[in-house]
Amino acid sequence: MKIPKSGVARRVPVHPTLARVLMEWRGAWWRAYGREPAGDDLVAPDPSTFAAVTAGAAARWFRRDL
């Protein structure tokens, strides 16, 4: 979890539909990535590095999926 510049963490409201989708995704994380998600993981990281997906990788995966 990132600490904001003010040093004070705040709760942010989440739409109920988004909350439901994120909870389902959290349950599917193990199947997609082979481990439990950590608190600072991205929603959809690069499977090999768990970092942000680069534009080049996204384009390659998109072309492959076509």
Side-chain angles (χ1 to χ4, degrees):
M1 172 193 273
K2 291 180 85 176
I3 303 297
K5 288 193 300 185
S6 68
V8 179
R10 291 185 291 240
R11 295 185 66 82
V12 177
V14 175
H15 190 279
T17 302
L18 176 59
R20 200 167 33 252
V21 168
L22 291 174
M23 288 305 293
E24 288 176 17
W25 175 237
R26 184 174 178 87
W29 184 275
W30 179 262
R31 289 189 307 276
Y33 298 103
R35 67 171 177 84
E36 289 295 317
D40 60 348
D41 278 331
L42 299 172
V43 173
D46 183 316
S48 60
T49 64
F50 290 97
V53 175
T54 64
R60 281 192 306 278
W61 298 342
F62 178 72
R63 285 190 298 274
R64 181 193 65 203
D65 289 344
L66 290 178

